[in-house]
Every structure is written in C-alpha cells, then in structure tokens.
Amino acid sequence: MAGAKHSQAMFFQARAGAKVRDKVLQQALQKAKPLFVGKRAKGIAALAEDGLEFEALRLASEEIRNRVLRDLDVWLDIFEERARASGAEVLWARDGDEICDLVIDVARRHGVTKATKSKSMLSEEAHLNEALAAAGIRPVETDLGEYIVQLAGETPSHIIAPAVHKTIGEVEALFAKEHGRPVEARSSVDIPAMAREARGVLRQHFLSAEMGITGANFLIAESGTAALVTNEGNGRMVTTLPKVHVVITGIEKIVPTLQDFATLMRLLPRSATGQTISNYVSLLTGTKQPGDSDGPEKTVFILVDNGRAALLGSPYQDMLRCIRCGACMNHCPVYFSLGGHAYGWVYPGPMGSVLTPLYTGIENALDLPHASTGCNQCGVVCPVRIPLPELMRRLREEQNERGLRPWSERLALKAWAWVAGRPALYRWVARRAARYLDWLAEGSGRIRIFGLAPAWTAGRDLPVASGRTFHELYAARKRV
Amino acid sequence: MRLALYVTCLVDLMRPSIGFASLRLLEAAGCEVIVPEGQTCCGQPAWSAGNRSAAIDLARKAIAELEDYDYVVIPSGSCTDQLRNVYPLLFADDPAWGPRARALAERCFELTAFLADVLHFSAPPGEFAGQVTYHDSCKGLRALGIKQQPRQLLLQVRGLSLQEMPDCEECCGFGGAFSVKFGEVSTQIVDRKCASIASVGAAAVVGGDLGCLMNIEGRLRRRGDETTRVLHIAEVLAGGSEN
C-alpha cells in the first residue's frame, strides 16, 4: 500500500529504547500526561451538569458511526450529490499518491504558489507537503503545533497536540533561530509572546496564500458540509481567505445528519481536550455566493480510501468508527513512555498500533500490535467504544496465521500449550523449572540476570520462591 | 457447596504461598475447597499472543475439569477474565462447547470478588501492623469491575490502615509478554508506579495479580528499595503460616 514506503513502523522496537532514554522527551511527556488526563476527566464529569450521561452518549455515538459504516456507499453518494449541488467539486483518491496528484493538479489549475494548511491527517498519510514542495508549491502549516513541527523539519507526534514531544525551551530556541531573532532578546520563556511572534509570521502567509488545505472532522451527508473543529482560529483563515479551499478526508469521516454531528460533538472535544466545545466549530458548505463577504471561490473535496474500504466487513471494521480525538493515546502508558514518533507513522498510540498495520500492511508494522500492556485504558476512554486491545490481539492472531512472527516465539507458545495440555508432564516441567529458578537465585529469592528473559532482568530482579511448586507442596501436605 | 480453587501457573511456579493463603482464607470463610488435580494453564498467554487454537484446546481442558463445581475461585483478575469473559467468546458459535463455557463463566470469580460479593465475608483472619497501599490490576479493574472488594476486605484486617497512592489505577507495565518483549518501556512504566508507591510511604503494596506484583517487586528491589513489602491480597487477608 502507498503508506508503506514512508512508514518507519518496522523500527518500533529499536526506536523505543532510544525514546525511553531521551531525557528531554521524557520531561515533555511527563508534563503533558496529567494535563490531558485531568482535563478529559473534568470534561466527562461536567456532562452531568448538562443532564447528559457519558455511557449513553458513547452508545449513541457508536450507533451513529456504525450506521454510517453499514451503508457507507449510500452516505457518500448523498454527500457527493449535496456537495456538488452547493457548488463544490468532489474528487476521489485511492491512495496517498492520488491525493498528491489531485491537489497539485487543482493548484496548477488555479496558479497556486503557496498553500496554507490547517491540520489534515490525510495529508500526513500522503506526505503531501513533500509532494507540494517538489511541485514548486510552498505548504505552510498554520496550527501552532504543526507550525513548530514543520519549522523543526519533523512530523507530528500526537494527533491533536503535534508538538507535545517538545519542551517550551526547545520551541523558544527554534523560534529564535527560524524567526531570525537572537535568543537573548527574550530573557525568559514567555508563551504568549511566542504565540504572538508565530501569529505575526503566519499572518503574512494567510494573506498571501492562494490555496487553503484542511481536513474535516466530519462530513455531513444531508447538507454536503465539512465540519472543522479547532481551537486557534487559523482554520477560519485557511478556509475563508484563499480563493481555493481543498478539503481532504477519509471516506469514513461521514455522518448522516447535522443532528448526528451534534451528538458526536458532545464527546469529541471533551474526549480530546476536556472542552465542552472547542473555540471554533466551522460548518463549511459550498463556495462564496454573490453577496457573501468572504469564502473561497472554489471548494474541492478529496475523499480518500487509502486502505479504509478494505476494512469494511473485516474483523477490524470497528476501527473505522474512530473520530480522532486522541483520548486513547492520552491514557496509554506505552504512548507516554515513548511519544508518538516511536510508532513510525501518522497515527501513534493504541489507534496507531491498529491503524498503521492495517493501512501500511501487517508485515510492515510487526511490533505495533504488541506495543500494548493490555491495560485497556484506551478502550475505556474511547468515545465510540472501539475495542482497541481486542483489535491488537486480533492482529497478533493474523500475524500468527500468516507465519509472520519469529519461529522461536511461535515454537515457545506451541510448546507451552502442548505441555499445559498434559497435566502430568506440566507438573514435571513446573517442578524442574522451580528448582532451576531457585538454583539461579542461589537462595536469595531473586534472580538478577535471567538469560531466558534478558530484557526483563535488565531493569528489574525476578522474584522467585523456594524451589517447590504449589501443586508439589499441596500433594505432599495431603499425603501427611 | 463444592468450590474449586484454580491456582494459576504463576502462583504454582513463582509463589505457592498465595495458593495456600487463598486456601486458608476460603476455608476460614466456611467453604469446602478442592484443588482440582489436572489444572494447568487457562490459556491466557496463548490467547493474548494470538494463538487461537492453543487457547481453545486449553479452554476445553479447563472447562471439562472445572464445570462440575459450584464455584471456581481464582486469586488473579487476569486469569479470571480469561475464564469469565474470553471462554464464552472462544465458543460463541459452538453449539456443544458454547453453553458449557457460558455456564462455567458465570460461576468463576476472582478471589476478592467472591469473598465480598458472593459470600459477603467480612472477617479475614489476617493481621497486619501498619499502612498498606493497593495497586489496582488492569484486568481485575477494567474487565471485571473489581475496585471496592479488595479495599473493603483489607479494611477488616486488624491493625491495617489503607493509604491510597496517586494513580493507583495506572498500569504497572507488566502486561505478560509485553514486559519481556519491551523490557525498557515496561521499566519506564513500572518506575512511575514505584514512585507512586514511594510517595505514600506505606509498609506494603498489595495487589490481586502476581504478575503485576512480581514486576513491581522486581523493580522496587532493583531501585534499591529493600523494605517495602509486596504482597498478594490473599497473603494479607489470610495471615497465618506461609504454607
């Protein structure tokens, strides 16, 4: 698949160690986690003030998303027809390469030399910025986090907080360098001043870009509308100032009605940032009409498959419900030990551990379905009830069926199950193992270096008992 | 009432005292406890690793051995989840084994849930001088809803006081094969747990799953903490001799 050539997901395990040892990254992550978790908890608790109940809303949201997926083609047809009727162009892309080709083609048709962007995960899937730059069109990210990441020559490490892996000090130094300002011009880190500085730079881009590129949190079928949920106001600049607006979304992002959108909006910001509603919610329909003071002259929707349609009717269909709130990663102990870059592709955390193998090929992301302790905090917080740990487990099963796991792992599992199926043999093996562990522990009750699980004892001792199994001791006791 | 104690392979191999403590505790609660002889592994590691056929084989074996008892009690949330929640899934479309799996699942209980919810037991024989803190294991908490039961029981132990640690519901980073495959990541996660434990200064950290406890104990000791005891809740509640 198209994503595979850019995916670094195969190197998860190797990268994980480096990320754990990166002190600056750890500092940034440790600061962010309690904020995310605390804000969501408050947001969910505050539902009661509006007479709403989280579980009921989750069920309703799950149902809306399932309804769409049952008849996805029908809802897409309706969306296409209504969007065209309101003056927009609707295009379809099978993969990332087609996204790039379509966007570049639209840009060339309208003489575009610069495009402002408000975050679109699909353009990350397609590596659109690289393609635009190669075609002589300058892409400028305008979400503050995305802007920082773009200046640093990096990719986002979180889907709603793309620069969460950076400390304030790092951003300050980056701005000083990229904005041509000496570091000593500001005596201490001043976040409002930094935001003002970025805003000043971005304002010039908003005014001069001929094209705006965004994603959409949802597409509303009944009205042919794109819904954008943002906090910074840049989304409005990008969608109204340039003469051309291109919306790039996955085909699964559709919802039937405005009413459905309203239901999902009760959970999306609360799950993401704990907000009752985000600072800006834009519903964008069609193009600038006579008498309108602003808006694009040309609106283009690019609806993208890139692996999504293949999940319909598969054991992984539940994943298409995802509304990209980021709650799963915000509550994931593994994500917050590594940051998003370790996951090697657009989507990090539990969602990425499922999406990346599915979209880039299971054989290209072998570690990711295993990058979970199975704690299920992700499943508990997911606003559309995606059983993320079960989907990861199902992916492991598929890896086994396709012979993609190392032979030593498969053999060990088979041997364990074979022994466990034979109680007498199992008892004998367990007794030998208990003796062996006790011998390794040299009577100290713990093993400091255990050759069979070196990664385990690299960080901790292995506590062991006295060399006798429970069943052995129990049988002896009964005989007395 | 005939009650089967399912000991779990980790307890069998790594810490038999938990099995004996569970036995004493259930007997103190007035149960007739039998340890079925053929019991081995419930198949959770195979299921989690994605080996469905091995998980099914071991589930059939466990169902056949355990289905004749009034209750099956397990000193582990993780293994209980396998019998209660996964077995019925494994045989969802199997007309022969499906009903047997579902019938067994209803009668399988994690130790503290059985004591508190089924027996309404409130007189644990154990004694503990000092403060303990409780670590909520993920499967027990999120798959079985076990939260109040262990605390309620601990508070009945003479001399014991309970001091909650910050983020007691956070994963300790064990995750079975996860801690073997991703040792460094797991260590990073358990370090946060160790810091939480240290922050309350309790004499012991108590939990319901041996896997988590081995992970926590192993990291505490490696960090140089030789004094904080790491105990299974059965050991605290049962008191008495080690075996």
Side-chain angles (χ1 to χ4, degrees):
Chain A
M1 265 179 234
K5 66 184 173 189
H6 292 296
S7 168
Q8 297 288 307
M10 275 306 272
F11 308 109
F12 177 83
Q13 179 123 29
R15 208 171 304 197
K19 296 296 178 191
V20 167
R21 291 187 291 268
D22 182 337
K23 292 257 168 22
V24 180
L25 172 69
Q26 292 299 329
Q27 191 192 333
L29 293 173
Q30 286 321 299
K31 227 173 158 175
K33 177 160 197 209
L35 292 177
F36 279 124
V37 171
K39 284 178 176 174
R40 175 192 170 274
K42 272 191 190 155
I44 297 300
L47 281 168
E49 291 167 18
D50 297 333
L52 297 167
E53 209 249 310
F54 179 60
E55 270 317 310
L57 269 178
R58 275 178 100 203
L59 286 167
S61 299
E62 179 189 14
E63 201 283 317
I64 291 167
R65 299 295 294 138
N66 281 341
R67 181 150 43 95
V68 169
L69 297 174
R70 270 196 300 273
D71 299 300
L72 187 60
D73 51 343
V74 175
W75 296 113
L76 285 167
D77 279 347
I78 294 172
F79 175 82
E80 183 177 20
E81 180 208 317
R82 306 279 158 94
R84 286 209 167 118
S86 64
E89 187 176 348
V90 180
L91 304 172
W92 301 83
R94 261 171 306 206
D95 56 29
D97 290 343
E98 286 194 2
I99 296 175
C100 295
D101 292 346
L102 290 171
V103 175
I104 290 167
D105 180 55
V106 172
R108 292 215 166 114
R109 273 194 273 146
H110 294 86
V112 172
T113 57
K114 188 198 289 182
T116 44
K117 293 180 67 196
S118 180
K119 198 166 156 201
S120 149
M121 302 310 293
L122 253 307
S123 72
E124 296 290 337
E125 285 186 36
H127 295 265
L128 178 63
N129 286 356
E130 290 167 30
L132 285 174
I137 300 154
R138 183 176 175 193
V140 180
E141 296 290 348
T142 67
D143 288 17
L144 186 55
E146 290 269 332
Y147 174 70
I148 292 165
V149 167
Q150 191 181 29
L151 284 187
E154 298 174 5
T155 54
S157 68
H158 188 287
I159 63 163
I160 60 161
V164 69
H165 59 286
K166 293 194 120 38
T167 60
I168 297 164
E170 283 182 310
V171 177
E172 169 67 17
L174 182 68
F175 276 14
K177 179 167 157 272
E178 295 294 325
H179 294 161
R181 168 175 59 76
V183 180
E184 52 277 14
R186 198 143 57 216
S187 58
S188 64
V189 170
D190 179 347
I191 293 172
M194 287 160 69
R196 272 197 304 279
E197 187 175 308
R199 197 178 287 134
V201 175
L202 286 171
R203 189 153 295 161
Q204 305 309 314
H205 293 304
F206 286 132
L207 292 169
S208 57
E210 302 93 348
M211 179 191 260
I213 300 172
T214 68
N217 292 81
F218 298 105
L219 298 174
I220 299 159
E222 69 171 345
S223 53
T225 299
L228 267 184
V229 180
T230 68
N231 270 321
E232 298 174 24
N234 61 317
R236 291 201 171 174
M237 308 278 195
V238 170
T239 54
T240 51
L241 288 173
K243 61 184 178 187
V244 183
H245 176 207
V246 177
V247 184
I248 311 171
T249 66
I251 49 174
E252 85 287 10
K253 281 297 189 75
I254 209 149
V255 296
T257 66
L258 275 162
Q259 184 72 47
D260 295 328
F261 167 68
T263 302
L264 289 164
M265 272 304 286
R266 292 201 159 111
L267 284 186
L268 175 61
R270 283 177 165 104
S271 299
T273 51
Q275 291 166 291
T276 306
I277 192 162
S278 56
N279 294 345
Y280 301 88
V281 178
S282 304
L283 296 174
L284 305 161
T285 311
T287 53
K288 182 178 178 176
Q289 299 298 309
D292 286 354
S293 59
D294 55 22
E297 293 157 23
K298 174 85 186 168
T299 299
V300 182
F301 288 101
I302 301 178
L303 306 183
V304 187
D305 175 7
N306 209 28
R308 286 153 176 79
L311 304 191
L312 288 169
S314 83
Y316 307 105
Q317 177 168 311
D318 288 344
M319 198 60 218
L320 292 174
R321 284 204 297 271
C322 178
I323 58 172
R324 308 290 192 261
C325 67
C328 59
M329 60 194 70
N330 291 343
H331 291 77
C332 176
V334 178
Y335 176 88
F336 268 98
S337 299
L338 302 173
H341 287 153
Y343 291 81
W345 201 55
V346 185
Y347 305 102
M351 66 177 326
S353 295
V354 178
L355 281 177
T356 302
L358 292 176
Y359 288 175
T360 69
I362 289 177
E363 63 285 1
N364 295 316
L366 285 179
D367 289 335
L368 290 189
H370 300 261
S372 156
T373 65
C375 76
N376 196 28
Q377 293 196 70
C378 54
V380 168
V381 297
C382 177
V384 286
R385 292 170 37 100
I386 299 171
L388 288 153
E390 169 53 20
L391 296 181
M392 284 181 238
R393 198 209 57 77
R394 183 67 189 78
L395 281 164
R396 296 173 200 172
E397 201 172 311
E398 194 166 333
Q399 289 180 344
N400 273 313
E401 284 162 7
R402 289 173 51 185
L404 293 168
R405 296 305 300 169
W407 66 269
S408 53
E409 183 184 309
R410 280 183 286 156
L411 185 69
L413 274 170
K414 260 193 196 151
W416 172 253
W418 193 80
V419 170
R422 289 156 182 78
L425 177 63
Y426 175 88
R427 299 265 174 275
W428 185 84
V429 169
R431 282 200 302 272
R432 301 261 72 79
R435 301 285 192 285
Y436 175 62
L437 291 172
D438 187 41
W439 178 75
L440 282 179
E442 298 174 327
S444 69
R446 66 179 87 164
I447 297 170
R448 296 190 70 87
I449 301 168
F450 186 41
L452 287 175
W456 217 84
T457 48
R460 45 184 121 32
D461 298 345
L462 181 65
V464 294
S466 60
R468 298 287 180 276
T469 67
F470 171 85
H471 290 295
E472 190 180 1
L473 293 165
Y474 182 73
R477 200 175 78 154
K478 275 206 302 191
R479 276 198 299 274
V480 172
Chain B
M1 181 175 73
R2 289 177 76 243
L3 183 155
L5 176 66
Y6 195 75
V7 175
T8 91
C9 5
L10 267 191
V11 168
D12 181 37
L13 187 62
M14 306 304 283
R15 200 142 142 189
S17 58
I18 296 169
F20 288 104
S22 305
L23 198 59
R24 281 200 307 280
L25 190 54
L26 288 164
E27 283 170 352
C31 303
E32 182 204 341
V33 186
I34 294 150
V35 180
E37 278 197 3
Q39 61 173 280
T40 59
C41 168
C42 67
Q44 200 262 359
W47 170 246
S48 164
N51 189 335
R52 181 182 287 263
S53 65
I56 286 178
D57 288 348
L58 291 175
R60 284 204 183 106
K61 176 181 167 300
I63 292 167
E65 273 159 7
L66 299 172
E67 65 188 342
D68 291 336
Y69 296 89
D70 297 320
Y71 292 102
V72 177
V73 177
I74 310 171
S76 154
S78 171
C79 307
T80 307
D81 172 53
Q82 187 72 12
L83 275 79
R84 268 193 87 93
N85 298 324
V86 178
Y87 283 9
L89 272 182
L90 284 174
F91 303 107
D93 304 319
D94 186 326
W97 285 90
R100 293 171 70 179
R102 289 188 286 275
L104 174 66
E106 282 172 19
R107 290 181 278 115
C108 288
F109 287 88
E110 185 272 344
L111 177 67
T112 64
F114 182 73
L115 290 169
D117 299 341
V118 180
L119 297 182
H120 306 289
F121 177 67
S122 62
E127 285 180 39
F128 189 94
Q131 218 171 47
V132 305
T133 193
Y134 192 80
H135 163 69
D136 291 282
S137 291
C138 297
K139 284 278 163 54
L141 178 71
R142 279 177 278 270
L144 301 169
I146 293 167
K147 178 75 186 175
Q148 288 314 314
Q149 299 93 327
R151 289 172 171 77
Q152 186 187 317
L153 288 161
L154 281 173
L155 289 172
Q156 306 296 326
V157 172
R158 269 177 298 162
L160 181 148
S161 67
L162 180 65
Q163 174 70 43
E164 296 289 354
M165 65 173 125
D167 301 323
C168 60
E169 296 186 355
E170 278 285 311
C171 178
C172 74
F174 174 62
F178 176 83
S179 57
V180 178
K181 280 182 184 145
F182 301 102
E184 268 185 294
V185 187
S186 172
T187 301
Q188 176 79 9
I189 300 171
V190 73
D191 257 343
R192 296 201 286 267
K193 183 56 70 176
C194 290
S196 293
I197 293 165
S199 76
V200 295
V205 53
V206 180
D209 276 81
L210 179 55
C212 314
L213 296 177
M214 285 169 52
N215 188 40
I216 291 169
E217 182 174 350
R219 185 59 188 166
L220 282 175
R221 300 297 175 252
R222 184 63 61 91
R223 283 161 56 111
D225 180 340
E226 297 289 340
T227 52
T228 307
R229 298 177 70 192
V230 182
L231 299 169
H232 191 278
I233 187 160
E235 296 171 312
V236 180
L237 297 177
S241 68
E242 280 294 295
N243 285 337

